Amino acid sequence: ASGNASIDPRGREALTQLARTLNEVARKIPDDLNWILRVDGHTDRLPIRTDHWRSNWELSTARALSVVRFLIEEGIPARNLAATGFGKFQPLDLRNDEIAYRRNRRIEFKLTQR
């Protein structure tokens, strides 16, 4: 939701499944391969300044951190996670309407090597 970094129930279900899958895949990754799941938080372009978030950048980072904390609770080792915030600077949709804003408020994942 706009201005929010909490994970809704549907998101929790999806992240639980992601964690299960990632735990299965991690067992097959060779020990000498330093892998990391980068969790990227994004916001829409609407300016934000609240008691909780001074900028979209802070909100996007908080979104990523919420997901990282959840994944740690689901058994993903913290050493294999990174939280990054992109604020409003990497939109998927450049339009100025609610549909575009919703598309741009998102979390993305990138499984990569450190």
Side-chain angles (χ1 to χ4, degrees):
S2 181
N4 194 333
S6 62
I7 305 168
D8 68 22
R10 280 188 20 222
R12 294 176 81 76
E13 289 176 30
L15 289 172
T16 297
Q17 183 58 46
L18 173 69
R20 282 188 201 130
T21 302
L22 189 56
N23 277 317
E24 289 174 18
V25 169
R27 286 192 288 272
K28 298 174 185 174
I29 297 174
D31 291 337
D32 62 340
L33 184 65
N34 286 326
W35 66 272
I36 193 162
L37 180 67
R38 194 177 83 190
V39 181
D40 297 340
H42 299 269
T43 67
D44 57 38
R45 69 172 67 191
L46 298 174
I48 189 168
R49 190 169 184 89
T50 68
D51 291 340
H52 293 295
W53 323 114
R54 293 181 52 203
S55 70
N56 281 343
W57 215 309
E58 289 180 17
L59 174 57
S60 68
T61 303
R63 286 178 175 164
L65 283 169
S66 292
V67 171
V68 163
R69 287 183 188 115
F70 184 87
L71 292 174
I72 290 169
E73 290 173 9
E74 294 294 311
I76 306 299
R79 70 180 175 277
N80 297 114
L81 295 167
T84 56
F86 287 93
K88 64 181 181 177
F89 299 107
Q90 294 193 13
L92 293 175
D93 194 327
L94 297 175
R95 294 176 300 153
N96 285 315
D97 60 28
E98 185 56 33
I99 293 170
Y101 299 153
R102 287 181 187 175
R103 288 190 72 213
N104 291 329
R105 294 188 296 258
R106 69 193 188 282
I107 291 289
E108 295 178 336
F109 299 97
K110 182 176 182 181
L111 186 59
T112 188
Q113 231 177 316
R114 279 192 270 172

